[in-house]
Amino acid sequence: MRLSRYFLPILKENPREAEIVSHRLMLRAGMIRQQAAGSFSWLPLGKRVLDKVNRIVREEQNRAGAHEILMPTIQSADLWMESGRYDDYGKEMLRITDRHERAMLYGPTNEEMVTDIFRAYVKSYKDLPLNLYHIQWKFRDEVRPRFGVMRSREFLMKDAYSFDLDFEGAKAAYNRMFVAYLRTFSRMGLQAIPMRADTGPIGGDLSHEFIILASTGESEVFCHRDFLQLQVPGADVDFGNDEEIAGIVKTWTTPYAATDEMHDEAAWGAVADDEKVSARGIEVGHIFHFGTKYSKPMNASVTGPDGKEHLVSMGSYGIGPSRLLAAIIEASHDEHGIIWPESVAPFDIALINMKAGDGECDRVCEELYTALTAAGRDVLYDDTDQRAGGKFATADLIGLPWQVIVGPRGVAAGEVEVKNRATGERETMPIAALVQRFGGRP
Amino acid sequence: MRLSRYFLPILKENPREAEIVSHRLMLRAGMIRQQAAGSFSWLPLGKRVLDKVNRIVREEQNRAGAHEILMPTIQSADLWMESGRYDDYGKEMLRITDRHERAMLYGPTNEEMVTDIFRAYVKSYKDLPLNLYHIQWKFRDEVRPRFGVMRSREFLMKDAYSFDLDFEGAKAAYNRMFVAYLRTFSRMGLQAIPMRADTGPIGGDLSHEFIILASTGESEVFCHRDFLQLQVPGADVDFGNDEEIAGIVKTWTTPYAATDEMHDEAAWGAVADDEKVSARGIEVGHIFHFGTKYSKPMNASVTGPDGKEHLVSMGSYGIGPSRLLAAIIEASHDEHGIIWPESVAPFDIALINMKAGDGECDRVCEELYTALTAAGRDVLYDDTDQRAGGKFATADLIGLPWQVIVGPRGVAAGEVEVKNRATGERETMPIAALVQRFGGRP
């Protein structure tokens, strides 16, 4: 993409309404625009990151055997009356009346609807296990939405729902999502720690939050230092092997870890002082096992191998991709701006023409742009007539992993400079070597 | 994907509520499920097609120079009061009140919000032309939603918005979208004919609908037979060349074409009888030029080369991907089910194991599944223990372009059968040749 033709509205000033760094940087980098209280548009740069985050979420859900569907945002109130949650949910639920005076609502979550889908089609234990997920907009009418997309009213959520014959099956399904979440966050460059959690309005008796440590985190968390060394399972992990998956969950739930809601002072006291990590955390995922909480009132059952009807045992599994973007920035930035992990960066490379209009600089940039793009790299080519200082500041602010800097002196020597955004390291290299470095042919 | 692990709830019976063939086939093929009046969930097979349709829409929008953003579904009523449309829009608009008694609405379209984004950032003609689009759910509270996703209340829309300094620029932007639409529909296997159209609640003075001919179409259309022979521009069309693009638009707007709303009996009478095509059509896209209709009340202006402020000249450009799926089925099906064009098929190949459990059939199917998947083909492997007749019926119903049939006799001879869903042609070939045929190594 040529910056001269792109829509990247960088803000020079720090927006006053932004209370946390991710909100400030997302506004300044032209990623989002606030449209109403707790409601945001995603501008092109933000949309690209959101797409990359969604892709990783999707790949790991699919790898774990979940199937993608897409449920509507607006739901009929009838389903929620059936489960008994319509009155319970309170003012966070956005209630709507249509032109025929029917009670509708903007879905804050989808347990009821997906249970309705399940019971319409699945009749036998032979069709289990089943896990259906979607990535769809949700609305929760928070009293005080704030912190940008970290706590907005309209937000994107990946929510998965598992259906099994019995607790044993449901536990295996829960474990698969647990491991999928470890991989999902790790691929985004995040160190996420699973912590026993309260189940809140979703209900149930087994629940983990996935928390990343960040000094700006919303809540206090307590965990054993061992977590910082644990290995996240590789792409070859066998989701068909319940025992292997359970073993990984065991490893990741054995050391002490708790949010302040679930904190146990006695157990914490048993951890040696030099092994304690007490920090602030940001919730990036939350998984629940709740058994028959929805299948019972909604009568979702299957015929078992014994020929009898069994209410299915369920769980639900949430990740907020829009919130994740903010969490990634909270965990990865410096005083100059965002530092994107390569897996979710909006572009891989900022190609900076230090003297646009100079014949040789233009020629080399065009060649590099073509070669790097052909090599499958996403390149943002700064071909504008801004001065070099402004270009560097923009590249640092938007946080692309690599900057390739093309100036008249370097070009005369057949060289360009490469800067690593994360480390700040700079390297001068021949033009052909650069293309080779990024996977293309010189 | 192995069918034994997939969620593909095929219906054996014709659902009574379905009035048109696409609705019936989408329900029967397990693509969608109705959740409320005019509201549908997309099941895995339907979601896959929707994704493929969206990808083509997106690629052609990007090729034409538009930038993807994502605006929220819920909008503040304030913006609509500013444009004057809040009272005009009527009962189709889903009006919502939040917990603080603020007036909100579920966006039926986004002219106001995108104009608000534009005016916040763009100040100079140097940043034009600009075209921003998003693919987002919309809600229009139709009195009688029907025909499945063809006329639903919650539906997906790609809406693009162009901003230019003057009419000439806006016309060039309109032309780019016109040509992008020709390419978009053509890539989905549709013959779409642009017809002069009424502008309705969007407003403006220049508008085309893109109509595909289908006997089940919602409205009567009239066009010259020449349209059926016109060439759709290739991927090498130069969207940077206004003259070239205008030439294509001229070619595609010269022969007579009109919906019944805009039908001109006198002009129609001048067409020779044997060149008249009078048929039924389905609208799959609609583009508008409306000048300053929104930029004026919302004060969206830029400084021109003359140093003066100019209200920007705008257009908007809509495609409904959810509706498009139904339109494709209306245009491409037979008595056995759907016939997907290859570009939007949920899977490329149905791999049918006629005798699951037979060692040799299983072995050959596994090998083919691995090889075809490695070659980049999306394969739905029917590894279930259903009888062969049921498998053929399912494969025909869901309409994958190719069926690869593996049975004991063929396997003994080292052969498999390939059936083309569209033509019904069958061919027997050696196993190695099959893999080579679909792009893999034997």
Side-chain angles (χ1 to χ4, degrees), chain A residues 131-177:
Chain A
N131 185 322
L132 300 175
Y133 77 98
H134 72 160
I135 301 178
Q136 178 63 293
W137 294 93
K138 308 289 189 293
F139 199 98
R140 291 183 190 166
D141 199 358
E142 307 254 1
V143 184
R144 271 180 303 279
R146 55 186 182 156
F147 303 147
V149 295
M150 187 75 89
R151 187 171 285 274
S152 55
R153 296 198 294 169
E154 184 167 339
F155 62 99
L156 196 57
M157 187 158 88
K158 184 287 298 177
D159 34 331
Y161 303 90
S162 66
F163 302 89
D164 286 273
L165 180 65
D166 50 27
F167 174 74
E168 195 183 18
K171 186 73 205 304
Y174 185 91
N175 288 344
R176 283 193 290 276
M177 285 293 110

Side-chain angles (χ1 to χ4, degrees), chain A residues 5 67 73 99 106 141 154, chain B residues 5 67 73 99 141 154:
Chain A
R5 298 187 197 161
H67 298 291
T73 61
R99 70 191 295 168
Y106 199 119
D141 199 358
E154 184 167 339
Chain B
R5 299 188 195 159
H67 299 291
T73 59
R99 70 190 294 165
D141 200 358
E154 184 166 338

Side-chain angles (χ1 to χ4, degrees), chain A residues 238-289:
Chain A
D238 181 4
F239 280 100
N241 184 337
D242 287 350
E243 210 172 322
E244 176 183 339
I245 298 296
I248 296 166
V249 172
K250 179 129 199 268
T251 302
W252 280 85
T253 50
T254 298
Y256 186 84
T259 60
D260 55 358
E261 284 168 327
M262 300 289 279
H263 190 43
D264 175 346
E265 282 294 349
W268 184 237
V271 177
D273 275 352
D274 62 349
E275 291 181 333
K276 283 177 175 170
V277 179
S278 170
R280 299 199 71 80
I282 300 171
E283 183 203 317
V284 289
H286 200 161
I287 63 177
F288 302 88
H289 164 75

Side-chain angles (χ1 to χ4, degrees), chain A residues 1 4-7 9 11 27 30 32-37 39-45 47 50-51 58 65 67-76 79 91-92 94-100 102 104 106 113 116-118 120-122 126-127 129-130 132 136-137 139 141-145 153-154 156, chain B residues 1 4-7 9 11 27 30 32-37 39-45 47 50-51 58 65-76 79 91-92 94-100 102 104 106 113 116-118 120-122 126-127 129-130 132 136-137 139 141-145 153-154:
Chain A
M1 179 60 63
S4 62
R5 298 187 197 161
Y6 200 46
F7 181 58
L11 302 186
L27 288 169
I32 55 171
R33 169 173 169 73
Q34 183 166 330
Q35 298 296 157
S39 162
F40 293 86
S41 285
W42 296 79
L43 304 181
L45 198 75
K47 178 62 168 55
L50 193 59
D51 287 345
R58 195 170 268 134
H67 298 291
E68 188 171 10
I69 63 173
L70 189 47
M71 293 176 268
T73 61
I74 301 295
Q75 305 185 16
S76 164
L79 282 175
K91 287 198 165 182
E92 267 198 21
L94 191 67
R95 291 158 210 258
I96 303 171
T97 306
D98 75 3
R99 70 191 295 168
H100 298 298
R102 279 176 296 219
M104 318 281 286
Y106 199 119
M113 191 180 276
D116 178 59
I117 291 174
F118 178 89
Y121 300 113
V122 183
K126 291 179 188 165
D127 295 323
L130 183 64
L132 300 175
Q136 178 63 293
W137 294 93
F139 199 98
D141 199 358
E142 307 254 1
V143 184
R144 271 180 303 279
R153 296 198 294 169
E154 184 167 339
L156 196 57
Chain B
M1 179 59 62
S4 61
R5 299 188 195 159
Y6 200 45
F7 182 57
L11 301 186
L27 289 169
I32 54 171
R33 168 172 169 75
Q34 183 165 331
Q35 299 296 160
S39 163
F40 293 86
S41 285
W42 296 79
L43 304 181
L45 197 76
K47 179 61 168 57
L50 193 60
D51 287 345
R58 194 170 268 133
H67 299 291
E68 188 170 7
I69 63 174
L70 189 48
M71 293 176 269
T73 59
I74 301 295
Q75 305 187 16
S76 164
L79 282 174
K91 288 199 164 180
E92 267 195 23
L94 190 67
R95 291 157 209 261
I96 303 172
T97 307
D98 75 4
R99 70 190 294 165
H100 299 297
R102 280 178 295 221
M104 319 281 286
Y106 199 118
M113 190 179 278
D116 178 59
I117 291 174
F118 179 89
Y121 300 113
V122 184
K126 290 179 189 164
D127 296 323
L130 182 64
L132 301 174
Q136 179 60 294
W137 295 93
F139 199 99
D141 200 358
E142 306 254 2
V143 186
R144 273 181 301 280
R153 296 198 294 168
E154 184 166 338

Side-chain angles (χ1 to χ4, degrees), chain B residues 166-214:
Chain B
D166 51 27
F167 175 75
E168 196 182 18
K171 186 73 206 300
Y174 185 92
N175 288 345
R176 283 192 290 276
M177 285 292 111
F178 188 108
V179 173
Y181 276 32
L182 291 178
R183 283 193 43 77
T184 300
F185 300 126
S186 167
R187 285 184 60 189
M188 295 176 194
L190 295 172
Q191 188 157 46
I193 299 172
M195 302 192 181
R196 279 299 291 267
D198 200 11
T199 55
I202 306 289
D205 43 21
L206 173 60
S207 177
H208 283 89
E209 285 179 353
F210 289 75
I211 304 273
I212 61 162
L213 306 183

Side-chain angles (χ1 to χ4, degrees), chain B residues 30 33 79 99 109 119 126 143 146-147 162 198 224 228 231 252 303 307 327 336-337 343 421 426 432:
Chain B
R33 168 172 169 75
L79 282 174
R99 70 190 294 165
T109 176
R119 70 182 175 185
K126 290 179 189 164
V143 186
R146 55 186 181 155
F147 303 146
S162 67
D198 200 11
H224 195 288
L228 310 182
Q231 283 294 310
W252 281 85
T303 310
H336 304 296
S343 60
R421 173 67 181 90
R426 291 159 176 275

